[in-house]
Amino acid sequence: MNPTPSPVSAPALPRPRQQYAPVHPGPMRASPVVGGLPRPRRPYGGPVSPPIGGRLDLSGPQGSRLRAVVAAVHRICPEFRAVQVMRRSGRSVLLLGAIGRSPAVAKCLLDHSPAQVERFRYEIAVHRAFVRDRPPVRVPRLVAADPDRCVLVTERVPGRPAADRRHPSDPPAPADLNAVLDAVRRLNAWRPSAGRFEAPIDYGRRIARHHALGLLTDRDADDLGKLLHGLARTGGRGQFCHGDALPTNMLLSPVGPVLVDWEHAGWYLPGYDLATLWSVLGDSPSARRRISQLAQSSGRDARDAFLVNLMLVLTREIRACETAVQHTMRDPDPATGTDRPGRMSTGEEQRLLLRRLHDDCAMARRAVRAAVGTR
């Protein structure tokens, strides 16, 4: 079958199948985790909130909560001196500070629901595992952690995010894209010690859930099931992935890319990180072509795993974007209730993004069906 011009199309002739040895016993099963959902007051795909300038304000009602957060940090790291709030959401707060002359960051959980506590503790476990088993990419050094109170303190690595928003409107510079893809390749090729990391996705359950939500058609679910069955039959092994490999989670520093926010790291079908990058770089066709070629370079199994990941990532993005659009329709602008003149409204941006995601999903759907035909 000849490949279509789509950047996610299946190759015409698959390369010789690579034989894999299983990395860990049993299928990839764990409690399903849906990450990357938008914060209630932040437009999905909108710009990353810049750090809040000035000294840390501990006065007023909000200050009492921040004082409790700072106290929790001081219990495990008395030398930490908080300077300002870098980011705050309903789920967590990120404090910029210093330990002596060394810049540091403290992340504290605010939403202590069981699912969020479990995910935060897993992120701490990942950082602790990195102390014993160092990954081939730069990660912030662990300083202190408290799983009981859900506090994590790491060094602050200087650098700029590879993108200023989840779905960047400007194509990444060639040098930035090269650095990001090189970091992802090195991480995905890493084989850490067995038993230290979980498999965050139960693929069969995730497909069934998206099907029940109407994000996947009956044929989509059937086709993805066939690809999963084929991958299981050939004994394909898992690949270690960051799990949320967005450009906003990659800092470009003088020493190379630094990956942050490791709460979704673990074993996935090959190509999950590449599928995540592909899904958010919709305004860069050349970047998508490179990602697709890289994902399919190892043959048919790698292609099929990438397509399964891509369908699940895109449908997750669609669901999150639909939620954000509905929220914007209820509350167009928290500050004024109106759109500012001379500027595309947040709701319009989200609707355009949603339309593009649906087009991307249709493209991926065609590629999946072509891949099923080669099985």
Side-chain angles (χ1 to χ4, degrees):
M1 180 177 296
N2 292 328
T4 67
S6 160
V8 295
S9 60
L13 294 176
R15 300 185 182 186
R17 185 180 306 158
Q18 186 175 358
Q19 296 297 326
Y20 296 115
V23 171
H24 49 78
M28 293 184 178
R29 294 190 177 274
S31 300
V33 175
V34 181
L37 296 180
R39 297 182 179 90
R41 291 288 179 180
R42 175 175 153 189
Y44 189 75
V48 178
S49 301
I52 301 174
R55 305 290 296 179
L56 188 65
D57 184 7
L58 299 179
S59 62
Q62 291 294 332
S64 62
R65 194 169 194 183
L66 282 178
R67 285 196 298 272
V69 168
V70 172
V73 176
H74 284 166
R75 287 190 186 98
I76 62 171
C77 189
E79 302 85 4
F80 182 84
R81 179 173 56 87
V83 175
Q84 66 186 52
V85 178
M86 292 186 67
R87 187 180 70 217
R88 181 192 297 177
S89 69
R91 189 180 68 172
S92 63
V93 61
L94 203 63
L95 297 177
L96 170 63
I99 300 174
R101 295 185 178 181
S102 301
V105 173
K107 183 178 180 181
C108 305
L109 191 66
L110 300 178
D111 176 7
H112 287 269
S113 61
Q116 295 299 335
V117 168
E118 180 183 1
R119 188 53 32 195
F120 197 97
R121 289 175 177 172
Y122 179 69
E123 184 176 7
I124 291 176
V126 169
H127 276 278
R128 286 177 170 173
F130 286 164
V131 174
R132 301 184 297 269
D133 203 352
R134 296 184 63 179
V137 296
R138 184 85 160 83
V139 301
R141 179 177 57 86
L142 175 66
V143 176
D146 184 350
D148 294 329
R149 294 184 174 87
C150 294
V151 180
L152 174 65
V153 181
T154 65
E155 67 170 332
R156 187 196 183 200
V157 182
R160 60 178 176 84
D164 64 347
R165 59 178 63 199
R166 185 183 185 92
H167 293 266
S169 56
D170 296 324
D176 292 351
L177 181 63
N178 290 337
V180 166
L181 291 181
D182 180 66
V184 169
R185 280 198 300 263
R186 286 187 283 120
L187 179 66
N188 295 162
W190 184 45
R191 315 313 295 176
S193 302
R196 289 187 176 173
F197 303 98
E198 67 180 31
I201 291 182
D202 180 332
Y203 279 86
R205 185 177 299 175
R206 181 67 63 85
I207 290 170
R209 182 166 179 259
H210 285 199
H211 181 225
L213 291 171
L215 299 169
L216 295 172
T217 66
D218 292 344
R219 182 171 178 180
D220 290 338
D222 184 60
D223 287 345
L224 293 175
K226 289 177 180 177
L227 293 184
L228 283 179
H229 180 74
L231 290 168
R233 188 173 62 243
T234 57
R237 65 179 178 179
Q239 182 183 75
F240 186 82
C241 295
H242 179 276
D244 198 21
L246 302 168
T248 51
N249 285 335
M250 300 183 189
L251 301 179
L252 301 177
S253 74
V255 298
V258 182
L259 275 65
V260 299
D261 288 347
W262 289 88
E263 62 189 65
H264 301 291
W267 297 102
Y268 294 79
L269 287 178
Y272 189 87
D273 284 344
L274 293 175
T276 300
L277 282 171
W278 194 99
S279 70
V280 299
L281 294 179
D283 290 317
S284 180
S286 60
R288 281 188 161 183
R289 281 193 295 271
R290 287 194 57 190
I291 293 169
S292 180
Q293 291 166 0
L294 181 62
Q296 302 180 52
S297 61
S298 298
R300 184 176 66 176
D301 283 355
R303 173 204 68 188
D304 292 353
F306 171 71
L307 291 175
V308 171
N309 286 321
L310 187 58
M311 281 295 291
L312 294 182
V313 169
L314 285 172
T315 48
R316 180 199 68 193
E317 295 290 304
I318 287 173
R319 181 170 180 249
C321 192
E322 287 176 343
T323 303
V325 168
Q326 293 171 1
H327 174 80
T328 304
M329 292 174 65
R330 292 194 302 267
D331 188 1
D333 191 320
T336 65
T338 60
D339 297 324
R340 285 181 249 178
R343 178 181 179 272
M344 184 182 293
S345 70
T346 299
E348 187 176 355
E349 289 177 337
Q350 292 169 342
R351 285 188 286 273
L352 290 175
L353 172 60
L354 183 58
R355 181 185 304 172
R356 195 208 78 202
L357 289 171
H358 278 291
D359 291 342
D360 291 343
C361 194
M363 186 189 306
R365 178 177 292 112
R366 291 192 295 269
V368 166
R369 291 177 181 176
V372 171
T374 65
R375 275 286 176 181

